[in-house]
Amino acid sequence: MEMWLPLLSEFGFPVMVTLYLLHRVEKKLDAVNQSIQRLPESLAPLQFYRSADQKKSSV
């Protein structure tokens, strides 16, 4: 807490709130990024089932 008080008096409350919120959002963006990167792995089995269903309907 001692390191926050000089920063607060030097830069002001709005800047500190902005930095805090950006720090929190960064963690959530990392989670979203990881989810997007795992998406092709999750969709691969669905693509297999869909192509199998299309083959059955064409026969």
Side-chain angles (χ1 to χ4, degrees):
M1 188 65 173
E2 293 176 13
M3 76 176 218
W4 292 104
L5 292 177
L7 290 174
L8 186 60
S9 65
E10 190 173 329
F11 294 109
F13 181 75
V15 173
M16 293 305 299
V17 170
T18 302
L19 292 174
Y20 171 74
L21 292 175
L22 285 174
H23 178 70
R24 289 197 51 178
V25 168
E26 181 183 9
K27 291 179 184 177
K28 294 179 191 216
L29 286 176
D30 288 339
V32 170
N33 191 21
Q34 289 175 357
S35 297
I36 290 172
Q37 289 177 345
R38 287 191 311 254
L39 189 60
E41 298 168 4
S42 300
L43 293 178
L46 295 177
Q47 183 66 28
F48 173 75
Y49 292 129
R50 193 164 78 185
S51 64
D53 288 341
Q54 288 175 351
K55 287 179 184 178
K56 286 181 185 177
S57 65
S58 66
V59 173

